[in-house]
Amino acid sequence: MNRRNFLKTGMLGAMIAASPISLSALDSATRAAGKSGRLNLSFRPYELQLRHAFNLARNQRTTTPGVQVEIEYDGIVGYGEASMPPYLGESVASVCEFLSKLDLSQFSDPFRIEDIHEYMEKVAPNNRAAKASVDIALHDLTGKIMNQPWYKIWGLNPDNCPNTSFTISYDANPEEMRKKIEETAPYKVVKVKMGLDHDKEIVEALRRYTDVPICVDANQGWNNKEKALEMCHWLAERNCLFVEQPMDKAAIDDTAWLRERSPLPIIADEFLQRLPDVRRAAQAYDGINIKLMKSTGMHEAYKMAVLARALGMKVMLGCMTETSCAVSAAAQLAPMVDWADLDGNLLIANDIFDGMKIVDGKVTLNDRPGIGVVKA
Ligand code: MG
């Protein structure tokens, strides 16, 4: 990635209309200013190319929109990223519009992450992925200033990182299905999406080749509690670990009914986004799935994990389709969680960062400062 192609804050209109030459000149002028004691935000769209088409209930997708962010302070650059799967309602245009409204130059201290979050909330509500991109870049920047990775700053033991799950989707062709299962061989946990037409077939296909534990994500797809309970019992007999979002996020009473009876833990994903949702989730779920693009970044994700633990809940750490930037940021929290689903960077063909690795199936953190990434 060429930093000179980054766009300066406030230039959304110019981003759409201007030529690359004028933007490049503008950016060079900004960089030439040198140490300013101020936070300088820049960003650019970056489309993620998927290694395999992503099969959803009604369509197929081969790309995911993203925005890459940099925050520079006295010559040190922190990297951040927004990833916007279409179902969450943010887009390249909305993220760039939000970022263009921010004036981080008013902050002379990059460690005022809480103040900067309060400022972002005042600029506009929602825009969670856009806020996460700034939050991740601030954590990377401040970690680099302290010369420590964030898992160490938080006092976490990297040996406690869990294995990550790796997601596979169903294919009606048995040979194609076998190839997909072969691709999961390096991983100790496999995740399957349910709530479609082949819920049992995919588990049965997996069990013909492997007995690794399976994480099940129903994506709100089971439309009654009796069916959901029957599936939970069926899955429990086949070495499944938990069920994520079995029913509609609005079906709180039915989910609480299911939780009382299910042999498997019931985990909230679509049900919750941010910190205040954790306490609500405790009424009906055994655990929560934290994702930086929902939580507005690492600052609130950490608080959510602490609160969930205090409430006696399980914690899962997820991601979107994203580069090693956002995945490595999430991985800083991995020693705190029961289960990780950090395969987003493995699903894309054009990663621009080198960061956390999956070694022998396990989330493996490095000693690099900040969020632990360098440009690949
Ligand atoms: Mg999910």
Side-chain angles (χ1 to χ4, degrees), residues 268 271-285 287-288 290 300-301 303-311 313-315:
F271 178 83
L272 97 165
Q273 311 281 346
R274 302 190 56 178
L275 183 62
D277 303 326
V278 177
R279 199 176 286 280
R280 284 196 312 119
Q283 299 166 18
Y285 295 86
I288 60 169
I290 298 172
E300 193 156 318
K303 293 179 185 178
M304 290 172 75
V306 171
L307 176 56
R309 281 276 178 258
L311 292 169
M313 301 179 82
K314 297 281 190 186
V315 180

Side-chain angles (χ1 to χ4, degrees), residues 57-227:
R58 287 187 193 83
N59 55 22
Q60 217 185 36
R61 163 165 131 231
T62 56
T63 62
T64 297
V67 172
Q68 292 291 320
V69 167
E70 293 185 7
I71 297 177
E72 183 269 346
Y73 177 83
D74 281 357
I76 301 174
V77 176
Y79 299 120
E81 173 176 21
S83 172
M84 295 85 71
Y87 65 91
L88 284 178
E90 290 182 72
S91 64
V92 169
S94 72
V95 169
C96 290
E97 186 183 351
F98 178 83
L99 295 176
S100 72
K101 285 181 188 160
L102 299 181
D103 176 17
L104 295 191
S105 69
Q106 66 186 283
F107 296 97
S108 57
D109 183 351
F111 288 88
R112 297 284 173 90
I113 294 174
E114 184 105 357
D115 289 354
I116 294 171
H117 270 288
E118 282 176 17
Y119 162 68
M120 290 198 289
E121 290 300 324
K122 284 188 192 133
V123 169
N126 303 318
N127 292 282
R128 291 184 295 269
K131 289 168 185 171
S133 70
V134 172
D135 170 281
I136 293 168
L138 285 171
H139 280 82
D140 194 36
L141 174 65
T142 49
K144 284 170 173 167
I145 293 169
M146 290 184 278
N147 199 28
Q148 294 294 341
W150 267 92
Y151 70 85
K152 284 193 183 177
I153 296 165
W154 281 326
L156 304 176
N157 180 353
D159 296 341
N160 293 338
C161 287
N163 294 320
T164 187
S165 57
F166 184 80
T167 301
I168 68 164
S169 57
Y170 181 72
D171 197 306
N173 179 326
E175 184 55 20
E176 290 302 314
M177 192 67 215
R178 189 188 60 77
K179 280 188 202 158
K180 282 188 174 186
I181 293 169
E182 257 174 23
E183 209 177 325
T184 70
Y187 304 96
K188 303 269 171 68
V189 184
V190 170
K191 179 172 177 176
V192 298
K193 301 277 191 187
M194 289 200 173
L196 300 171
D197 295 333
H198 308 286
D199 287 358
K200 289 186 177 174
E201 285 92 332
I202 190 168
V203 172
E204 284 165 345
L206 268 164
R207 284 290 169 258
R208 279 196 280 278
Y209 296 98
T210 173
D211 53 9
V212 295
I214 298 173
C215 307
V216 173
D217 187 354
N219 284 116
Q220 312 184 75
W222 296 333
N223 50 21
N224 73 70
K225 60 188 182 186
E226 288 81 12
K227 179 192 170 169

Side-chain angles (χ1 to χ4, degrees), residues 21-43:
I21 295 167
S22 62
L23 288 170
S24 175
L26 174 69
D27 195 56
S28 297
T30 310
R31 301 285 174 198
K35 288 193 175 188
S36 62
R38 297 272 177 241
L39 296 172
N40 297 305
L41 170 69
S42 56
F43 53 91

Side-chain angles (χ1 to χ4, degrees), residues 191 193 217 219 244-245 269-270 289 291:
K191 179 172 177 176
K193 301 277 191 187
D217 187 354
N219 284 116
E244 195 181 322
Q245 204 63 54
D269 184 8
E270 285 86 345
N289 185 351
K291 295 174 180 169

